Amino acid sequence: MKIGIVLYPTFGGSGVVATELGIALANRGCEVHFITYKQPVRLDLLTKNVYYHEVFVEEYPLFHYQPYELALSTKLVEIAERYNLDLLHVHYAIPHAYAAYMAQKMLMEKGKFLPFVTTLHGTDITLVGSHPSYKTAVEFSINNSDAVTAVSDSLREDTLRLFDIHKDINVIYNFIDVNKYPLIEADECDRSLLADENERIITHVSNFRPVKRVEDVVKIFEKIQKKIPAKLLLVGDGPQREKIDILCKKMGIKDKVIFLGNSNEVNKILCYSDLFLLPSQTESFGLAALEAMAARTPVISSNSGGLPEVNLHGITGFLSNVGNIDEMANNAIAILKDDAVLEDFKNRAKSHSQKFTLEQILPQYIAVYENILKEKIM
Ligand code: GMT
């Protein structure tokens, strides 16, 4: 099968899922063409069966906004023809599903039918997609996709509530590649690099956007460290990082907070962690929480969106209403204060993460592809 994958190439979860899915398909013999504006961060170009095609947007002084979707759909047509693609899989509806639809129409004029699958990831529906500036076009491109998937039941429900959808939406959960999370013995993980021997290590990974509520992360940590010696690792970068730095200074905890910036080694960082914090305003799935659990790290999160489908209350961590900092801090302390309790949460987090492995999820995507290709022939 020859598949074009359209994605955001950044550290965000949708790009990570799209990249890892593409690599897994390539490892199983598919020819995979990644099409986006920059090399995806988790993509190693020296992978067999993998191609990367950069979308270049010609700048012109008349344009206040550069017409990315136009350049993308042009590139999709070019690659589909040159490599005789069988289908496109676009991750994140805006503007990828719209560009895929346009490419499909242009190719049809040339006598080629190129079906496309749209995977909805979250903010393309909840925060951004349903905004009046985009809603009509997003709804149109979802309804005109040949197949639609969403990364959680919650996101499927949100899509049906916010848009007028007359297309089946197939829920296919996000996944982890278990090979990236081998069981690391405590003595192999040199925690002394980051914390004193008696300190717990608490981690948060995100794009530092307001939706992630990183201020809550700092406030929860401030309460925890009053009761339990601890360090906070902040991984990622984004518009709120500066503000968070200032907040840490103001709260007098700067020396206990380590900013690690964007990293390609989140799996290794998580091996040092005792607890993961994800108090997001909204989260369609929470891939970062799943990655933490795969690295034996329990999760304290909000109960918004798809998080209850990933983090099990009282089993792999705890869920609280958005903004309930006191409850999140108390639950964190309950997990961290006792070695045996912490060990139980770690084991259960790891065990639950095994329900979301690549081996279980990949066949579900392949079935979607086979289905639309079958319809194409009929
Ligand atoms: O966070 C975003 O703005 C976009 C997106 C991304 O690229 O990271 O995140 C969404 O997709 C992830 C992968 O499916 C999910 O794990 C995240 O929960 C989801 N983010 C939100 O819903 C806020």
Side-chain angles (χ1 to χ4, degrees):
M1 217 184 283
K2 296 181 179 184
I3 306 166
I5 293 189
V6 181
L7 70 162
Y8 282 104
T10 56
F11 284 93
S14 65
V16 168
V17 168
T19 307
E20 305 225 335
L21 174 64
I23 293 170
L25 289 163
N27 286 339
R28 280 156 184 79
C30 293
E31 187 178 300
V32 177
H33 296 260
F34 288 96
I35 305 160
T36 183
Y37 56 84
K38 211 173 71 189
Q39 182 180 335
V41 290
R42 287 207 192 171
L43 182 65
D44 177 359
L45 288 180
L46 293 176
T47 309
K48 200 171 168 220
N49 298 330
V50 163
Y51 298 75
Y52 161 58
H53 309 280
E54 189 157 310
V55 179
F56 177 72
V57 186
E58 178 71 32
E59 294 201 7
Y60 185 68
L62 177 68
F63 301 146
H64 182 61
Y65 301 106
Q66 306 305 319
Y68 179 68
E69 335 24 349
L70 213 63
L72 175 60
S73 49
T74 303
K75 183 60 98 181
L76 294 178
V77 170
E78 177 198 323
I79 301 303
E81 284 190 302
R82 194 187 320 152
Y83 293 93
N84 198 18
L85 296 186
D86 295 308
L87 62 94
L88 288 176
H89 186 171
V90 304
H91 290 261
Y92 205 87
I94 308 170
H96 300 156
Y98 195 72
Y101 173 81
M102 289 312 298
Q104 187 181 69
K105 288 287 158 225
M106 287 186 267
L107 284 160
M108 230 168 230
E109 296 234 317
K110 296 164 175 251
K112 178 177 170 70
F113 177 59
L114 183 68
F116 69 99
V117 181
T118 298
T119 290
L120 309 173
H121 279 273
T123 45
D124 47 351
I125 295 301
T126 54
L127 282 188
V128 191
S130 52
H131 188 275
S133 315
Y134 303 114
K135 189 175 171 196
T136 307
V138 172
E139 189 172 88
F140 174 85
S141 34
I142 293 173
N143 279 327
N144 283 282
S145 301
D146 295 282
V148 183
T149 75
V151 297
S152 64
D153 288 321
S154 149
L155 182 59
R156 179 179 180 277
E157 294 311 313
D158 283 341
T159 311
L160 297 175
R161 181 173 49 79
L162 294 166
F163 299 89
D164 181 13
I165 300 296
H166 43 80
K167 195 95 211 163
D168 285 344
I169 301 179
N170 195 345
V171 173
I172 302 184
Y173 283 131
N174 286 333
F175 58 86
I176 36 128
D177 178 352
V178 285
N179 298 321
K180 290 196 173 157
Y181 300 90
L183 275 179
I184 297 170
E185 297 302 326
D187 53 354
E188 283 178 58
C189 201
D190 189 1
R191 293 163 53 106
S192 66
L193 292 171
L194 296 162
D196 296 340
E197 213 174 303
N198 66 332
E199 285 178 322
R200 300 291 196 204
I201 297 182
I202 298 167
T203 305
H204 168 77
V205 181
S206 80
N207 51 22
F208 284 63
R209 295 207 194 113
V211 68
K212 302 292 174 181
R213 296 183 70 102
V214 190
E215 281 189 35
D216 286 7
V217 170
V218 172
K219 290 177 185 165
I220 296 164
F221 174 74
E222 194 268 338
K223 288 179 188 298
I224 298 172
Q225 57 85 45
K226 279 186 178 150
K227 303 269 185 217
I228 293 172
K231 284 267 164 56
L232 175 63
L233 305 186
L234 291 175
V235 186
D237 210 341
Q240 295 219 302
R241 181 172 162 167
E242 199 69 25
K243 203 172 157 190
I244 295 304
D245 203 15
I246 294 168
L247 180 65
C248 292
K249 276 187 204 133
K250 214 166 106 190
M251 295 187 100
I253 53 170
K254 185 78 178 70
D255 58 329
K256 295 183 178 172
V257 180
I258 303 169
F259 285 86
L260 291 175
N262 280 325
S263 171
N264 251 335
E265 297 191 312
V266 173
N267 53 339
K268 288 196 189 139
I269 295 167
L270 286 166
C271 112
Y272 299 108
S273 305
D274 295 304
L275 191 73
F276 190 79
L277 299 179
L278 195 63
S280 309
Q281 183 70 35
T282 163
E283 201 71 70
S284 69
F285 182 89
L287 181 65
L290 177 61
E291 293 189 325
M293 285 159 51
R296 278 187 90 239
T297 308
V299 175
I300 294 289
S301 70
S302 67
N303 55 12
S304 64
L307 280 169
E309 294 170 61
V310 180
N311 184 21
L312 306 182
H313 189 68
I315 297 171
T316 60
F318 287 103
L319 300 151
S320 296
N321 288 337
V322 173
N324 194 341
I325 293 164
D326 286 338
E327 189 179 283
M328 292 188 201
N330 288 339
N331 285 335
I333 292 164
I335 294 179
L336 293 172
K337 72 175 181 214
D338 185 290
D339 283 346
V341 172
L342 177 59
E343 201 54 22
D344 284 348
F345 271 95
K346 284 189 171 200
N347 288 337
R348 290 193 300 257
K350 175 83 189 175
S351 143
H352 182 57
S353 74
Q354 306 304 299
K355 299 207 166 104
F356 302 87
T357 62
L358 176 63
E359 283 65 33
Q360 290 162 91
I361 300 302
L362 185 63
Q364 299 179 37
Y365 278 116
I366 292 176
V368 171
Y369 300 160
E370 285 174 350
N371 216 16
I372 62 170
L373 289 178
K374 205 161 63 198
E375 280 168 18
K376 177 180 161 183
I377 295 161
M378 284 186 336

